[in-house]
Amino acid sequence: MAANAFDVGDYVVYPKHGVGRVIELQNEEIAGMQLELYVLRFEKERMTLRVPTNKVEAIGMRKLSSDKTLKEAMDTLKGKPKVKRTMWSRRAQEYEAKINSGEIVLIAEVTRDLFRPEDQPEQSYSERQIFEAASSRLARELAAMEKTDEPTALAKILDVLKEHAPQYYNNGDEE
C-alpha cells in the first residue's frame, strides 16, 4: 500500500468541487473488501465527501497549487481577455470544463475572460454565474494558500482584474 498522499488537515483540490480539507482517514468494509477512504469537508457547500484513496488519481484530486502555479494563475488574470465569437452555449461548456478541470491556471483564464469592468455593458445572467463560479473557485484556493479567507482572496483577485482589464476595454476615448 502506497503511503498516503494526503494527511488529515491538508487542503486538497477536488476538480468538481474545489478546495476541501481532509478531516479524516477511514477504513470501511464494502462488499467484503477493506477500503481506505479520505473524508473531505467542503465548508462552502457544507458537504462531506468520502473518496477511496485508490481513486484519488483517477479523479484528479491534488494538493494545493505550488507558489509557481499560483503566480502563473495571478499573471493570467493580468492578460488580455480572449473572447471567442462562438455561440454562448458552446463557450459556456468550455468555461465549465475549465472550471471542473480543477486546474488553477485554466480557472484564472475563465475568471479573466468573463470579468467586466463597471463601465462595460452588463453581462448576461449565465455569464455572471460562470464568472462567479470561477472567481470563487480561484479565491478559495488562493485563500487556502495564503491562509486568509475567501472574501479577502476574492478582493485581491478583483483588484488585479480592475487594474489590468481597463486597458483592454478602453478604445482610447478617455472621459
Side-chain angles (χ1 to χ4, degrees):
M1 191 83 189
N4 286 318
F6 308 103
D7 298 317
V8 171
D10 282 358
Y11 282 103
V12 296
V13 176
Y14 187 96
K16 269 204 162 45
H17 303 294
V19 177
R21 196 165 200 173
V22 180
I23 55 169
E24 198 183 338
L25 263 163
Q26 287 181 344
N27 280 300
E28 273 185 30
E29 191 173 315
I30 298 174
M33 287 174 55
Q34 274 299 320
L35 212 56
E36 199 175 16
L37 305 167
Y38 288 117
V39 183
L40 306 180
R41 178 77 185 149
F42 297 86
E43 278 312 319
K44 188 169 175 126
E45 291 85 358
R46 295 192 175 78
M47 176 178 79
T48 303
L49 206 60
R50 287 172 175 71
V51 181
T53 53
N54 61 352
K55 293 272 186 266
V56 163
E57 269 180 55
I59 292 165
M61 195 168 109
R62 63 172 173 81
K63 291 183 188 276
L64 292 175
S65 296
S66 65
D67 291 343
K68 181 174 171 290
T69 308
L70 176 64
K71 184 184 179 325
E72 192 182 332
M74 295 306 281
D75 286 345
T76 297
L77 295 177
K78 299 172 185 175
K80 185 173 170 50
K82 289 182 181 59
V83 179
K84 291 203 182 96
R85 297 280 168 230
T86 49
M87 281 172 51
W88 168 248
S89 58
R90 166 90 32 96
R91 274 186 299 150
Q93 281 179 325
E94 286 176 18
Y95 291 142
E96 294 284 356
K98 283 182 175 185
I99 294 169
N100 288 330
S101 73
E103 295 297 323
I104 192 172
V105 175
L106 294 180
I107 295 167
E109 280 176 18
V110 176
T111 304
R112 174 199 67 202
D113 294 351
L114 287 177
F115 174 74
R116 291 286 172 277
E118 269 105 29
D119 60 357
Q120 289 298 304
E122 240 340 277
Q123 283 175 302
S124 71
Y125 177 75
S126 52
E127 277 184 307
R128 182 105 208 117
Q129 291 293 93
I130 295 177
F131 171 76
E132 284 172 2
S135 56
S136 166
R137 190 69 73 82
L138 186 58
R140 278 185 275 169
E141 188 158 356
L142 178 63
M145 291 178 71
E146 297 195 338
K147 303 198 177 6
T148 173
D149 58 9
E150 186 181 340
T152 305
L154 186 59
K156 182 175 178 174
I157 289 163
L158 293 175
D159 284 348
V160 170
L161 290 165
K162 285 175 188 155
E163 182 188 341
H164 293 274
Q167 64 185 326
Y168 301 117
Y169 290 96
N170 190 342
N171 300 327
D173 46 359
E174 289 288 333
E175 263 85 83

